[in-house]
Amino acid sequence: MFLRNKNLSSSVSTDMMKKQKRYEALVKALHADIFRYAMWLIKDKAIAEDVVQETFLRAWKSLDSLKDEGAAKSWLITILRRENARRFERKQFDLVDIDDVSVADPINFGDVVLEHRELRRIIGDLSEEYREPLMMQILMGFSGDEIAEQLNLNKNTVMTRLFRARNQIKEALLGDQTKGEQVNG
């Protein structure tokens, strides 16, 4: 009886060590990508860090359900999106009268910062159906097939949305340039 319990304990220990190594490899390989996606999605470093931590905690708990290591990034993105959605399930937003808020003018920024801000604004103005696949491709490096799988869409739909997103960005940037020329010229 004692020998049997010792063998069972040894087997459990070995399984836990294998799971730990698998998990550590997963975190090492994908943490930066998952955090980058969380930052894009949430736009607040502290909250993004919390959501990423919760994502990896849930990943640890259900690591045995991940059968295909090649799908790990998609799997973690799905967990992250669900964790982010959980933040808003019961959240009550505090409303403030806009007339009671004063906003300080920002200090003069360099041209690069302004260009980045403008590009972020343009991307933020895209409709969700165009913005999300574009960010998944740019930030996460997902292929059209992977994006289609993540968003439960046809690959052709994804490719069309990516094409249209880029065109809308290009048109917005060109429109801003011609506006500037008209004002200055």
Side-chain angles (χ1 to χ4, degrees):
M1 176 80 175
F2 179 72
L3 184 60
R4 193 167 110 197
N5 284 342
K6 188 174 183 178
N7 287 341
L8 182 61
S9 173
S10 173
S11 173
V12 169
S13 253
T14 304
D15 288 345
M16 285 300 291
M17 287 174 48
K18 286 180 186 176
K19 182 178 179 181
Q20 180 70 27
K21 285 182 182 179
R22 185 177 177 208
Y23 176 75
E24 287 174 1
L26 183 76
V27 171
K28 185 177 181 182
L30 298 174
H31 184 274
D33 288 341
I34 299 302
F35 180 73
R36 189 170 36 253
Y37 183 72
M39 279 297 296
W40 169 79
L41 192 64
I42 298 167
K43 295 173 183 55
D44 182 302
K45 185 177 180 185
I47 296 172
E49 288 171 346
D50 289 345
V51 171
V52 169
Q53 186 172 4
E54 286 297 319
T55 298
F56 279 104
L57 178 63
R58 286 193 186 270
W60 166 259
K61 290 177 181 177
S62 59
L63 189 60
D64 295 331
S65 69
L66 178 64
K67 303 299 180 201
D68 179 15
E69 296 295 324
K73 190 186 259 188
S74 298
W75 180 66
L76 287 169
I77 291 292
T78 300
I79 295 171
L80 183 125
R81 291 174 72 200
R82 289 180 182 155
E83 280 302 312
N84 186 47
R86 280 187 192 96
R87 292 187 316 125
F88 299 102
E89 286 176 351
R90 291 185 209 104
K91 187 168 184 162
Q92 296 293 323
F93 293 98
D94 295 329
L95 301 177
V96 177
D97 188 2
I98 192 76
D99 295 330
D100 296 338
V101 177
S102 64
V103 179
D105 288 334
I107 300 170
N108 292 336
F109 291 100
D111 289 342
V112 173
V113 173
L114 291 174
E115 288 172 4
H116 286 179
R117 182 180 290 162
E118 181 64 14
L119 186 57
R120 283 190 187 122
R121 183 194 60 77
I122 290 169
I123 291 172
D125 288 345
L126 292 174
S127 68
E128 185 71 22
E129 68 178 328
Y130 297 135
R131 185 177 56 239
E132 189 165 20
L134 182 67
M135 289 298 99
M136 291 177 80
Q137 184 182 53
I138 293 171
L139 294 177
M140 305 305 299
F142 281 141
S143 68
D145 290 327
E146 292 169 325
I147 296 169
E149 182 182 324
Q150 280 289 311
L151 300 177
N152 295 321
L153 296 170
N154 179 306
K155 181 184 177 189
N156 292 335
T157 303
V158 169
M159 299 311 287
T160 299
R161 288 181 181 183
L162 290 170
F163 176 78
R164 288 179 180 167
R166 286 190 191 94
N167 277 347
Q168 287 179 16
I169 292 169
K170 186 174 19 172
E171 288 171 8
L173 289 172
L174 291 174
D176 287 349
Q177 285 179 350
T178 57
K179 253 194 246 178
E181 290 172 7
Q182 291 172 355
V183 171
N184 295 331

